Amino acid sequence: IAPNGDGNRELAEIRYVVSVDSAQVRIVLDPVGGGAPLDTLQKFTRRGAGLHVLVFDGNSPQRRVPDGSYTVRIDGVGSQGEGQETVRLPLTIDRQAPVFTQLSLVTGNPVVKNGDTVSIRACFTTKRPDSLSADFGPLDSNFNPAQVVRTDEGELCTVFSYTLSVNNAKTDASGLRVVVNASDNAGNRSSANLSLCLSNSPPVLVSARLVNVTPVFQNGDKIVARYVYDSPNPLSLSAAFGNLDSGFQSSNVLVVNEGNQTFRVEYLISTSNTRADGEYRLRVTAADGGCGTVVDESLVITLDNQGNISALITNVGLDRPAFSPG
């Protein structure tokens, strides 16, 4: 029995039949191999002929019986001198559920798509549990437990592999939990889960361009860029400009959704910026509702607080060296 409160194999019913008119019956727990009784479950009590049942939940009148293997001994003494008889039965008490020491990805990639094979490894403190199963249903609308491949590794670990169906209809999402269930012969159960992300349609950057007339900026200037994406899912944008601005604050970034997966990103360079003049890349990340992301660093701006960059005006000259107005 596994009297640990999980509702599985909580009780043992000790059944015996008195085959005479009545008998004095005692039920005790003995150590395996014999010796003095450890616990008395029922003192000598008169019982009439027929079937009797004692329900044992892991507790004796004396104490909470520790986990271990025992012998249930039933002593019967006939009330009318019919003699006596002793019956012994084995009983194991085990309240300890299997303990996971590891549940991890074998592939190392937590982002999956239809058709991918996902492999996870489950390891335990002692020997492998008697019953193990893995549920990949949160990742696949067509999940079939019969298609999970199990490979045992040594005495402590098991690898479960499953290939997502190509016509899986699950929506892209993060935090989808693959669950491994474990149980032992006593009925103790435990489970552990691993969060994965389904991403069949990650966003695709269509275009990125600066809206500003020139790509050269000074402290206090506002950078304006426009990004267009292709994605079946709603997107959110974030931008990190700490590389070009020592005083970067995310609150200075304004992202405007202009519709049709088009976004305008505005950033005001801090007036106290101490970054050196030079070229810097804008880093903008688009993310969908799952784990599909695309990072763009294609746009380059020039920081010129000293006014030493002359690349803005080139090929200066007159088409005619002299003329006579009027």
Side-chain angles (χ1 to χ4, degrees):
I1 60 173
N4 58 8
D6 68 355
N8 188 38
R9 298 189 186 182
E10 297 289 332
L11 307 171
E13 291 187 349
I14 302 170
R15 297 170 176 265
Y16 60 94
V17 174
V18 175
S19 57
V20 295
D21 289 342
S22 66
Q24 295 289 327
V25 180
R26 178 179 63 176
I27 303 176
V28 297
L29 285 181
D30 287 339
V32 174
L38 298 175
D39 292 86
T40 299
L41 305 185
Q42 176 183 292
K43 297 179 180 179
F44 273 116
T45 304
R46 182 170 179 171
R47 296 290 187 235
L51 174 66
H52 299 272
V53 178
L54 174 68
V55 176
F56 176 59
D57 63 358
N59 298 295
S60 74
Q62 296 82 42
R63 60 174 178 162
R64 180 180 186 264
V65 181
D67 287 5
S69 295
Y70 302 90
T71 297
V72 177
R73 173 162 54 92
I74 306 175
D75 297 323
V77 180
S79 300
Q80 305 299 323
E82 296 92 343
Q84 63 184 34
E85 185 177 4
T86 295
V87 177
R88 292 179 173 85
L89 300 170
L91 174 68
T92 296
I93 302 173
D94 179 6
R95 299 177 177 87
Q96 180 61 56
V99 177
F100 288 82
T101 59
Q102 177 186 356
L103 185 62
S104 61
L105 271 176
V106 176
T107 58
N109 187 2
V111 181
V112 296
K113 62 182 183 300
N114 294 355
D116 282 355
T117 297
V118 184
S119 296
I120 60 175
R121 177 180 287 110
C123 297
F124 300 87
T125 52
T126 55
K127 70 180 184 70
R128 185 184 304 106
D130 302 289
S131 176
L132 276 173
S133 64
D135 181 9
F136 292 86
L139 287 174
D140 192 349
S141 60
N142 303 312
F143 173 63
N144 182 353
Q147 294 178 355
V148 177
V149 178
R150 169 177 168 170
T151 305
D152 292 334
E153 296 181 338
E155 293 294 322
L156 301 179
C157 299
T158 294
V159 172
F160 297 95
S161 297
Y162 178 75
T163 301
L164 274 64
S165 62
V166 294
N167 58 345
N168 172 31
K170 287 284 188 178
T171 303
D172 287 0
S174 59
L176 301 176
R177 297 185 175 184
V178 175
V179 180
V180 174
N181 297 302
S183 63
D184 58 23
N185 282 333
N188 295 295
R189 297 178 291 191
S190 61
S191 64
N193 63 77
L194 187 66
S195 291
L196 301 179
C197 186
L198 184 66
S199 180
N200 284 300
S201 303
V204 175
L205 179 65
V206 176
S207 65
R209 69 180 183 86
L210 277 174
V211 177
N212 302 86
V213 175
T214 70
V216 179
F217 298 86
Q218 294 181 328
N219 292 354
D221 287 348
K222 180 185 289 186
I223 302 170
V224 183
R226 181 169 283 109
Y227 294 82
V228 180
Y229 297 89
D230 181 15
S231 172
N233 303 310
L235 298 179
S236 61
L237 259 65
S238 61
F241 299 139
N243 61 331
L244 63 91
D245 188 351
S246 61
F248 172 71
Q249 295 183 8
S250 58
S251 59
N252 288 340
V253 177
L254 175 65
V255 177
V256 180
N257 188 340
E258 298 181 336
N260 297 321
Q261 303 291 32
T262 300
F263 297 84
R264 187 175 75 254
V265 177
E266 300 180 2
Y267 178 68
L268 187 66
I269 304 173
S270 66
T271 56
S272 59
N273 174 34
T274 59
R275 296 285 188 248
D277 287 356
E279 292 186 343
Y280 295 92
R281 294 185 178 273
L282 306 185
R283 182 180 177 87
V284 174
T285 302
D288 59 20
C291 50
T293 60
V294 58
V295 179
D296 179 68
E297 292 184 335
S298 63
L299 296 185
V300 178
I301 68 111
T302 299
L303 193 64
D304 183 18
N305 283 302
Q306 300 299 320
N308 295 326
I309 299 176
S310 59
L312 287 181
I313 304 175
T314 60
N315 299 322
V316 179
L318 291 172
D319 59 349
R320 296 179 182 179
F323 65 100
S324 177

